[in-house]
Amino acid sequence: MSVKWKNSTNRVLRRAGYEIVRSRRSEPLSTSAALTANGDRLLAAPVFLMSSVRSGSTLLRVIIDGHSAMHAPHELHLRDLKVDLHNDYVARSMAGLGLSERELEHLLWDRVLHRELMSSGKQILVNKSPDDLFMWRRIAGCWRDARFVFLLRHPGAVLASWWRARPRYSEDEAVESVRRYMTALEEARTELPGHVVRYEELTADPESVCQDLCRFIGVDWEPKMLEYGLTGERNFEAGLGDWSARIKSGRVQPGTPPPADVPKGLRDFARAWGY
């Protein structure tokens, strides 16, 4: 390919966000080459942990983060990380680049997660925030190569834990709040491929569950994952995930038995999830 032809072609392609680059297999991908390989995304094949509130997602997150190849930061709340096109001028300017407010948010999310992964020195980013459930379609559209892990827990146990953390709620309010998460989780679990982890199995036999999870993600199992208290994890704060004494203990503890009765509003999920 002549340099003149290549430069002419690239001028056209750049308007659509692409560029022709020469492959250098012996060298790491530069930022430009990585973008070319992944479209507009720097982050490749991220993993998203999808779960309702109070399902043990912080426990699974810190276990995953104990792996030498996987980085799972505290809750980043991407859903509330937004772009403001403050006036018509900037809106028209970005439109001239082919960028809507929605796509700009996708670029922002991607950059934040990629920056976090690079700072960790690891290879695979695992993201978890329960509110990700309310935008699972956007996540799947933003990262076409994203992988999903669905964490299930007995609906009655989820409700009991959520209500203890929100004692100001009435029973109906607590049930409705939990039901919103479970509805979104079931929709995502039904429509997206992925791997299912059950909280009860994770706390009863963490080694087997984590071995299966590692196989799904494509990494070797590392026993040190279960000793998350030795990794120096300190982000156990309200708003960043679970902050209870159990999670701060630094080790996997047996799960509490679920209540005998499941409120009517959650029984369909108990049946669908095999409880």
Side-chain angles (χ1 to χ4, degrees):
M1 177 186 300
S2 70
V3 173
K4 183 177 180 180
W5 186 91
K6 177 181 173 182
N7 290 341
S8 175
T9 302
N10 272 336
R11 280 196 295 272
V12 176
L13 289 175
R14 286 190 193 108
R15 296 172 189 167
Y18 299 96
E19 181 179 4
I20 296 173
V21 296
R22 177 177 295 177
S23 174
R24 294 180 175 87
R25 296 182 183 275
S26 61
E27 300 177 7
L29 281 177
S30 66
T31 298
S32 176
L35 283 171
T36 302
N38 299 319
D40 274 344
R41 305 294 175 255
L42 288 167
L43 194 63
V47 179
F48 286 86
L49 174 56
M50 311 297 275
S51 75
S52 167
V53 291
R54 313 306 294 182
S55 293
S57 60
T58 298
L59 174 62
L60 185 53
R61 176 187 74 78
V62 293
I63 289 173
I64 289 171
D65 194 53
H67 194 285
S68 64
M70 297 188 289
H71 179 49
H74 61 262
E75 293 181 8
L76 300 180
H77 303 286
L78 296 181
R79 184 170 176 246
D80 295 317
L81 186 60
K82 298 184 180 297
V83 168
D84 178 19
L85 297 180
H86 191 63
N87 55 43
D88 288 343
Y89 293 114
V90 69
R92 293 207 313 267
S93 176
M94 292 299 101
L97 299 177
L99 295 171
S100 64
E101 183 175 302
R102 183 184 185 91
E103 178 56 23
L104 284 166
E105 286 178 351
H106 289 176
L107 293 176
L108 175 60
W109 299 346
D110 181 67
R111 179 64 180 99
V112 169
L113 293 187
H114 182 262
R115 178 181 183 273
E116 180 63 19
L117 180 61
M118 292 299 99
S119 69
S120 75
K122 298 184 180 183
Q123 294 78 51
I124 300 170
L125 192 288
V126 181
N127 190 67
K128 91 95 179 173
S129 292
D131 278 4
D132 283 352
L133 281 174
F134 301 124
M135 61 170 198
W136 64 264
R137 289 185 178 86
R138 285 194 67 177
I139 290 172
C142 179
W143 293 279
R144 299 288 182 176
D145 56 357
R147 294 169 289 174
F148 297 92
V149 174
F150 304 104
L151 177 61
L152 306 182
R153 187 182 184 185
H154 190 289
V158 170
L159 175 64
S161 180
W162 185 236
W163 206 358
R164 283 195 299 271
R166 300 290 188 278
R168 65 185 182 278
Y169 284 8
S170 68
E171 181 176 4
D172 287 344
E173 288 172 333
V175 168
E176 181 55 31
S177 178
V178 168
R179 184 174 175 83
R180 288 181 60 244
Y181 285 94
M182 293 185 177
T183 298
L185 177 56
E186 184 61 7
E187 289 175 351
R189 191 174 76 96
T190 300
E191 296 194 30
L192 295 173
H195 178 76
V196 173
V197 172
R198 292 181 181 271
Y199 173 78
E200 294 81 8
E201 295 174 356
L202 175 64
T203 55
D205 189 1
E207 182 171 333
S208 294
V209 170
C210 290
Q211 286 174 344
D212 289 343
L213 178 61
C214 285
R215 277 191 289 271
F216 169 73
I217 295 176
V219 296
D220 293 332
W221 150 249
E222 295 179 357
K224 68 175 184 177
M225 296 172 66
L226 302 183
E227 300 294 335
Y228 72 84
L230 302 178
T231 65
E233 171 71 49
R234 294 293 182 270
N235 290 320
F236 299 128
E237 303 175 20
L240 303 183
D242 189 10
W243 66 96
S244 67
R246 287 171 63 86
I247 193 68
K248 290 179 179 178
S249 71
R251 58 187 176 84
V252 180
Q253 299 194 22
T256 54
D261 186 43
V262 178
K264 183 178 179 181
L266 302 179
R267 289 174 190 168
D268 48 350
F269 298 109
R271 286 191 295 269
W273 297 349
Y275 289 108

